[in-house]
Amino acid sequence: MIEVKNLSKSFGAFEAVKGISFTASTGQIFGLLGPNGAGKSTTINCISGLVKATSGSVSINNFNIATQAVKAKQSLGIVPQELALYDDLSAHENLSFWGSAYGLSGKTLENRIQEVLLDVGLESRQKEPVKQFSGGMKRRLNFACAILHKPSALLLDEPTVGVDPQSREHLLQATIKLKEAGTAVIYTTHYMEEAERLCDQLLIMDKGQVIAAGTVEALRQQMGERDLITLKGRYQEGANMQLLEDIGAQVLELSHQEVRILIPEASKCLTKVLESVAKIGKVHQVNIQQANLESLFIKLTGRALRDAA
Ligand SMILES: Nc1ncnc2c1ncn2[C@@H]1O[C@H](COP(=O)(O)OP(=O)(O)OP(=O)(O)O)[C@@H](O)[C@H]1O
Ligand SMILES: [Mg+2]
C-alpha cells in the first residue's frame, strides 16, 4: 500500500506539486493521469525518495520514505520515465546486475530472471546486447528489471510512451498480472484510453493539483448521461455557439478543425446538431461516443489533454 498525504514539491519559487493526497491499495492499479508538466514524475520521484518533498508525507507499506527509507524501499519497484539500462550488456546481464543489487543470487536469481523475461516476452532475446533492441524492447526490459525482487508496491512512470503496439500489450498484460498477484501499482500516463482500460482508481492532475479523482465509472458519471460528439471539418474560430446550446448541447471545444459537444441521446438529435454546425463551417467527419475521460478533462480545464502543456 502506498499512502501520499498533502504532498508538495517546489523547485525554487515554482510549485510543481501542490498538496496532493491519495492511497494506492494492494491489488489495485492507481492511475495518475495528466498532460505534460502536470507533476506526475515529480510525484513519482517524491514517492520513491529520489526527490525530497517540500512538505507532506509518503509511506510504503506503513514505512515512511523520509525517515524509514531502507525499509520503505525494500518492497518498492520503480520503472522510471528515463531508461536505466546498460547498452553494451545483454538483457540477461542487465537483469543479473539489477537482481544482485536487490540481494538476489544463484539459482533464485536465475529463476527470477527467466520468469520476468517470460512476463515481458523477451526470453528468446536475452543474450543480445541491449543496444540492438528496439525502443519498445528496451522499455520491456526496463520494466523486467524493476520487478525482479517481487515488489509489493510498484511505480510506473509512463511505461508505454513511444512503444510499438506489441510491446505496449506485453507491458499492459505484465502490469495486470502484478496487480492480480496483489501488488499496489501506481501508473502514470497521459493516454486516457490506457487509464480507462487499466486503472481501478484514477487521479487526474493538472498544474500540480488534483482536478478529479475516483473510479473510471464515477468520473464518467461526472459527465452525466451524455454522449460526446466530435465533428471534424473547417470552422470559423470563435463562432457563436448559441444554436448548439439552444438544442441542449454543451460545447467543450471549438477550433479551426474540430467541434466537440456533450449532449444527451446524441443519435436522436444528430440532424439538429449537423444543421447548427453547418452554419459555422463545413463538416467532414462525425463521431459519436460515450463521454470519456478526455471530455472530462476538457470540461474541467477548458483544454484537451493532448495540447494542454
Ligand atoms: N528538477 C527540476 N527543476 C525545476 N523544475 C522542475 C524540475 N523537475 C520538474 N520541474 C517542473 O515541474 C513541473 C512538473 O514536471 P513533471 O516532470 O513532474 O511533469 P510530468 O507530469 O511528469 O510531465 P511529462 O508528462 O512531460 O512527463 C514542470 O513544469 C517541470 O518543468
Ligand atoms: Mg513525467
Side-chain angles (χ1 to χ4, degrees):
M1 183 174 80
I2 303 167
E3 260 184 302
V4 173
K5 283 191 194 143
N6 279 322
L7 179 76
S8 295
K9 175 66 192 176
S10 298
F11 297 104
F14 177 74
E15 283 182 278
V17 177
K18 302 172 184 166
I20 67 170
S21 300
F22 60 88
T23 301
S25 309
T26 54
Q28 265 198 355
I29 302 178
F30 189 96
L32 286 183
L33 177 69
N36 293 138
K40 304 181 298 294
S41 293
T42 305
T43 303
I44 291 283
N45 293 342
C46 288
I47 296 173
S48 70
L50 188 69
V51 162
K52 194 171 175 294
T54 308
S55 62
S57 69
V58 171
S59 69
I60 295 151
N61 297 330
N62 295 319
F63 295 114
N64 187 294
I65 194 71
T67 58
Q68 299 162 292
V70 174
K71 287 222 157 89
K73 285 181 187 173
Q74 259 163 15
S75 51
L76 189 64
I78 308 157
V79 181
Q81 192 165 356
E82 304 299 332
L83 295 170
L85 300 169
Y86 293 96
D87 252 15
D88 289 325
L89 299 185
S90 68
H92 189 282
E93 286 163 338
N94 268 281
L95 288 162
S96 272
F97 171 81
W98 283 107
S100 315
Y102 295 132
L104 301 173
S105 61
K107 195 99 196 91
T108 320
L109 173 59
E110 185 54 31
N111 288 343
R112 259 319 270 164
I113 289 176
Q114 295 310 323
E115 275 172 22
V116 296
L117 281 167
L118 267 179
D119 282 344
V120 298
L122 287 177
E123 66 284 6
S124 63
R125 314 290 298 264
Q126 58 183 289
K127 301 229 164 71
E128 286 176 42
V130 168
K131 61 183 167 209
Q132 291 177 14
F133 279 12
S134 70
M137 288 160 68
K138 285 184 185 172
R139 291 237 148 246
R140 277 144 72 182
L141 182 60
N142 204 41
F143 183 100
C145 290
I147 60 167
L148 271 168
H149 59 309
K150 297 192 177 169
S152 59
L154 181 68
L155 309 176
L156 301 173
D157 196 356
E158 309 225 30
T160 57
V161 164
V163 307
D164 55 283
Q166 191 198 3
S167 290
R168 173 180 299 252
E169 207 45 42
H170 273 293
L171 287 166
L172 297 186
Q173 287 307 330
T175 306
I176 291 168
K177 191 174 163 194
L178 285 164
K179 158 203 149 127
E180 286 171 355
T183 312
V185 181
I186 296 185
Y187 192 99
T188 86
T189 182
H190 59 265
Y191 298 134
M192 59 113 195
E193 303 86 355
E194 246 175 41
E196 284 183 337
R197 177 172 159 199
L198 273 189
C199 299
D200 301 291
Q201 288 287 326
L202 259 181
L203 186 150
I204 306 183
M205 282 183 86
D206 188 36
K207 298 181 179 162
Q209 279 171 319
V210 178
I211 57 168
T215 60
V216 173
E217 210 33 59
L219 290 170
R220 273 218 189 100
Q221 273 167 19
Q222 284 197 29
M223 309 298 299
E225 290 292 313
R226 292 184 292 179
D227 297 314
L228 174 71
I229 308 184
T230 306
L231 304 111
K232 290 195 194 293
R234 291 245 162 262
Y235 309 105
Q236 307 153 25
E237 237 162 307
N240 188 345
M241 300 270 78
Q242 193 57 48
L243 281 172
L244 280 168
E245 281 158 20
D246 289 346
I247 58 168
Q250 182 185 358
V251 180
L252 291 179
E253 193 182 8
L254 165 63
S255 70
H256 197 47
Q257 300 98 1
E258 201 161 273
V259 176
R260 291 208 217 202
I261 61 169
L262 283 174
I263 198 159
E265 299 193 276
S267 51
K268 290 195 181 153
C269 50
L270 198 56
T271 315
K272 281 189 194 156
V273 169
L274 286 169
E275 276 169 13
S276 309
V277 176
K279 299 213 163 79
I280 60 154
K282 206 166 169 43
V283 182
H284 294 153
Q285 194 188 331
V286 182
N287 176 272
I288 303 179
Q289 63 195 117
Q290 200 184 4
N292 57 22
L293 295 179
E294 174 93 33
S295 32
L296 179 61
F297 188 84
I298 301 171
K299 186 177 159 208
L300 294 170
T301 67
R303 293 166 298 140
L305 257 178
R306 64 185 137 70
D307 53 26

